[in-house]
Structure formats: structure tokens, C-alpha cells
């Protein structure tokens, strides 16, 4: 059996990040490449019949990635292996090098996949961007990150975040509590994204001053939204008329980001999704971009990908 010793000259914490929790990254690599991997004080030893140089080059790729990200999860590892196998290492490093924004604690936020990088590039160069893809691809989080970056630059004066409250039929007046209490359950994912980027105190202060506005889609009617970045989340649950109403709110010096997953439409069967219609009607208009994210862009637990793939597989059989 061949043996390859790689002196990486790494700090112990970096070697630990490469190894993963309970060495799960190394175990995954061993099973994938059919090799044996042992760590030493500042490097690794690879044993096996084949793939020794491939594994060595992959470790150097991981080190470059860790220069930009805090950790590499199993989900990240699977994606990085797929890039490495396709020879896309440097393309990933070059395109994902830019820091989009920093959290209130100073942590840099970057795109984690090439698809996410394409999404960010699209929103920078278009006034209206549609991001369509499955759950877990970072559509909402990245849109909020970009909005926060523009607000910090002074490019926009406010951020407006909205989504249809389909589960309540948008009859919010019949729900108990004030507007905030009625709306919060439907907008929780947006609050979560904001809390990751700003302190809760700052979020509340921005909301009180109107710098950040979070409201159901029904409350957008009749308005013109100037000097703002406007995000419509869960857009697959808009009707055609709601989508038209929303898109025609776009004002001067403003951008819109429309996010949705056309595989998770909650509308009654008789109603067509406004997102599906927009995708059909608006594809060829200059200034509008459509970004399609895929399962390979999912950055949640790796089981999420398997669950979505199985549901899609069974639905196609049952159809």
C-alpha cells in the first residue's frame, strides 16, 4: 500500500477544522476516496492504493477555503469535493473571495456556493432579480445580507421585507393581537436573518425609525417604494394579481429581490403562482435577472438534500 506524508504546517485549530467534529470530515474523505488518513502534529498521512495525490490537492483546497470561512461542515465538504472533482477549485476561490457584509460581531459573510455567488452578482447588476430554488439555498439570508450592505454604504435609505401570509389567507384582521403580533409568525425567517447580521436592539431601533419595514404583502398595495431595497419572500405563494401589484411598486433608486421555491406552492389548486407566471412573462426583459439555485446550493444539513430529492422522486412516480 502506498503512503504519502503531507506537511501542511498548520495550527492545531486549523487542523481540527479540517478534521471536522469527531473527525467526521476525515472519515467522509476516507470513504469517498478509499484511503486511510491519519493526522499528526501539523499535517496528515495518507495511505491507499490510489487517489493519494488527489486527496493531497484536496487538502490544500480545504486550507484555502478555511482562509475565508470559519468551518467546513459535512454539507460543505460534499460540495467542495464535487467542485474539486470537476476542477473548479480556483473558480470557487476567485468568485467567492468577496465579503458581502459582516455581522455585528465582525464575522465575514460570503457566498458559500457558485450558485449563491451568481445570485449576488445578479442583484448587483439588475434592479429586479428573481431567485428561484429549493429551501436551504440561502435566498432569504443572502438577500437580507445584500440589503444590509447597501444600507451601510448609504446607497439606500431603507429596507422593506414582505411575504404573502397564505396560511392566514391574508385576512390578518381576524387574527388576535396588533399588527406586529399578527405578522411575526409569517415573517420569522426574515427576523432570523436580520438577527444574524445586526443586534436585536439595532433591529428594533431600525424598525421603530422606519429604516427597516417588515410587513405582509397586502400592505404594499398603493405604495411607491423609492430609495429602498425591497425583498419579497415566499413569492411562489403570490397570485398573478399580487405579483403584478408588488412589481409595480418599484420606485426610483430602488431594487427588488423576489425569492421563491416553485416546488412548494401553498396556493389553492385553482390559482396559478404569480412567481411561475412572472418567470414565463418576464424572462427577456433587460434589467431583470432570473437566478435558478439547485440542490447543490443547499447549505443546511446534508439530510435536507436527500429529503428533497426523495420527495421529488416519489412525486414524479405518483403523478
Amino acid at each position: 500500500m502506498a503512503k504519502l506524508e503531507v506537511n501542511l504546517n498548520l495550527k492545531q485549530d486549523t487542523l481540527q477544522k479540517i478534521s471536522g467534529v469527531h473527525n467526521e470530515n476525515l472519515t467522509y474523505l476516507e470513504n469517498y476516496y478509499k484511503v486511510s488518513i491519519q493526522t499528526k502534529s501539523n499535517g496528515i498521512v495518507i495511505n491507499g492504493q490510489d487517489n493519494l495525490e488527489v486527496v493531497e490537492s484536496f487538502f490544500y483546497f480545504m486550507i484555502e477555503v478555511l482562509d475565508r470561512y470559519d468551518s467546513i461542515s459535512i454539507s460543505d465538504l460534499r460540495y467542495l469535493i464535487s467542485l474539486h472533482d470537476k476542477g473548479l477549485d480556483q473558480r470557487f476561490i476567485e468568485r467567492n473571495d468577496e465579503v458581502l457584509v459582516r455581522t455585528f460581531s465582525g464575522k465575514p459573510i460570503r457566498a458559500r456556493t457558485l450558485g449563491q455567488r451568481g445570485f449576488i452578482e445578479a442583484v448587483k447588476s439588475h434592479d429586479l432579480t428573481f431567485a428561484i430554488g429549493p429551501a436551504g439555498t440561502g435566498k432569504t439570508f443572502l438577500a437580507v445580507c445584500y440589503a444590509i450592505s447597501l444600507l451601510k454604504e448609504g446607497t439606500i435609505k431603507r429596507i422593506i421585507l414582505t411575504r404573502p401570509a397564505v396560511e392566514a389567507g391574508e385576512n390578518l384582521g381576524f387574527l388576535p393581537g396588533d399588527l406586529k403580533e399578527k405578522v411575526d409568525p409569517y415573517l420569522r425567517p426574515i427576523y432570523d436573518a436580520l438577527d444574524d447580521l445586526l443586534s436585536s436592539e439595532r433591529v428594533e431601533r431600525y424598525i421603530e425609525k422606519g429604516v427597516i419595514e417588515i410587513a405582509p404583502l397586502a400592505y404594499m398595495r398603493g405604495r411607491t417604494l423609492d430609495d429602498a431595497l425591497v425583498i419579497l419572500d415566499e413569492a411562489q405563494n403570490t397570485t398573478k394579481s399580487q405579483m403584478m401589484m408588488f412589481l409595480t411598486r418599484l420606485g426610483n433608486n430602488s431594487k427588488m429581490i423576489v425569492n421563491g421555491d416553485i416546488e412548494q406552492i401553498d396556493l389553492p389548486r385553482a390559482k396559478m403562482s404569480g412567481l411561475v407566471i412572472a418567470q414565463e412573462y418576464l424572462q427577456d426583459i433587460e434589467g431583470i435577472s432570473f437566478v435558478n439555485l439547485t440542490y447543490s446550493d443547499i447549505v443546511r444539513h446534508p439530510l435536507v438534500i436527500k429529503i428533497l430529492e426523495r420527495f421529488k422522486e416519489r412525486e414524479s412516480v405518483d403523478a
Side-chain angles (χ1 to χ4, degrees), residues 148-178:
I148 295 295
S149 71
L150 292 187
L151 187 65
K152 289 182 175 180
E153 292 171 4
T155 305
I156 58 172
K157 295 180 180 177
R158 54 185 175 151
I159 299 170
I160 299 171
L161 309 110
T162 185
R163 59 166 285 181
V166 169
E167 298 88 343
E170 292 210 279
N171 295 317
L172 296 172
F174 293 99
L175 295 176
D178 59 21

Side-chain angles (χ1 to χ4, degrees), residues 8 13 52 100 186 188 206 306:
L8 301 174
D13 63 332
L52 302 189
L100 181 58
Y186 304 100
R188 190 67 253 170
Y206 280 170
K306 295 181 180 179

Side-chain angles (χ1 to χ4, degrees), residues 83-151:
L83 293 177
H84 187 259
D85 288 349
K86 296 172 185 174
L88 297 175
D89 306 30
Q90 285 309 306
R91 184 182 175 197
F92 175 82
I93 294 297
E94 290 165 5
R95 292 192 68 187
N96 289 29
D97 201 33
E98 179 188 359
V99 174
L100 181 58
V101 71
R102 293 183 182 272
T103 66
F104 71 94
S105 63
K107 177 184 175 182
I109 302 296
R110 295 180 173 90
R112 297 192 73 90
T113 70
L114 290 176
Q116 288 187 352
R117 183 69 243 170
F119 173 38
I120 293 170
E121 290 171 355
V123 298
K124 286 185 174 183
S125 57
H126 296 82
D127 287 339
L128 173 57
T129 301
F130 290 83
I132 301 172
T137 50
K139 301 183 298 294
T140 300
F141 184 69
L142 288 176
V144 173
C145 285
Y146 182 63
I148 295 295
S149 71
L150 292 187
L151 187 65

Side-chain angles (χ1 to χ4, degrees), residues 6-253:
V6 185
N7 294 308
L8 301 174
N9 294 319
L10 298 175
K11 294 180 180 178
Q12 192 60 41
D13 63 332
T14 303
L15 191 58
Q16 178 59 51
K17 290 176 181 178
I18 285 176
S19 303
V21 179
H22 304 305
N23 290 328
E24 62 180 1
N25 287 351
L26 297 186
T27 301
Y28 189 93
L29 288 170
E30 286 179 326
N31 292 332
Y32 184 84
Y33 287 114
K34 309 302 181 188
V35 297
S36 172
I37 302 172
Q38 290 86 39
T39 60
K40 56 178 191 174
S41 60
N42 65 344
I44 57 169
V45 178
I46 309 166
N47 291 279
Q49 298 292 341
D50 302 297
N51 297 320
L52 302 189
E53 288 79 11
V54 174
V55 177
E56 178 187 15
S57 66
F58 184 75
F59 273 108
Y60 285 113
F61 178 35
M62 289 179 73
I63 292 169
E64 283 195 87
V65 171
L66 281 172
D67 283 341
R68 295 155 177 83
Y69 300 91
D70 284 342
S71 62
I72 295 176
S73 66
I74 283 292
S75 179
D76 296 330
L77 187 68
R78 291 178 56 181
Y79 180 69
L80 294 174
I81 288 172
S82 71
L83 293 177
H84 187 259
D85 288 349
K86 296 172 185 174
L88 297 175
D89 306 30
Q90 285 309 306
R91 184 182 175 197
F92 175 82
I93 294 297
E94 290 165 5
R95 292 192 68 187
N96 289 29
D97 201 33
E98 179 188 359
V99 174
L100 181 58
V101 71
R102 293 183 182 272
T103 66
F104 71 94
S105 63
K107 177 184 175 182
I109 302 296
R110 295 180 173 90
R112 297 192 73 90
T113 70
L114 290 176
Q116 288 187 352
R117 183 69 243 170
F119 173 38
I120 293 170
E121 290 171 355
V123 298
K124 286 185 174 183
S125 57
H126 296 82
D127 287 339
L128 173 57
T129 301
F130 290 83
I132 301 172
T137 50
K139 301 183 298 294
T140 300
F141 184 69
L142 288 176
V144 173
C145 285
Y146 182 63
I148 295 295
S149 71
L150 292 187
L151 187 65
K152 289 182 175 180
E153 292 171 4
T155 305
I156 58 172
K157 295 180 180 177
R158 54 185 175 151
I159 299 170
I160 299 171
L161 309 110
T162 185
R163 59 166 285 181
V166 169
E167 298 88 343
E170 292 210 279
N171 295 317
L172 296 172
F174 293 99
L175 295 176
D178 59 21
L179 176 61
K180 186 175 186 299
E181 291 170 330
K182 293 175 182 180
V183 170
D184 275 2
Y186 304 100
L187 300 172
R188 190 67 253 170
I190 294 174
Y191 279 110
D192 289 343
L194 286 170
D195 288 344
D196 279 343
L197 297 166
L198 304 169
S199 66
S200 57
E201 293 81 5
R202 180 174 292 181
V203 172
E204 287 298 323
R205 192 161 61 248
Y206 280 170
I207 290 173
E208 289 173 5
K209 293 180 178 180
V211 176
I212 295 177
E213 180 182 348
I214 306 175
L217 181 59
Y219 285 73
M220 297 295 107
R221 192 173 300 277
R223 302 178 60 185
T224 300
L225 307 174
D226 294 329
D227 301 308
L229 191 142
V230 191
I231 300 170
L232 171 59
D233 211 26
E234 300 291 338
Q236 75 275 5
N237 290 327
T238 61
T239 63
K240 177 182 177 181
S241 61
Q242 287 174 328
M243 180 61 75
M244 287 180 63
M245 177 274 291
F246 174 77
L247 295 179
T248 53
R249 302 307 96 200
L250 183 62
N252 295 318
N253 191 39

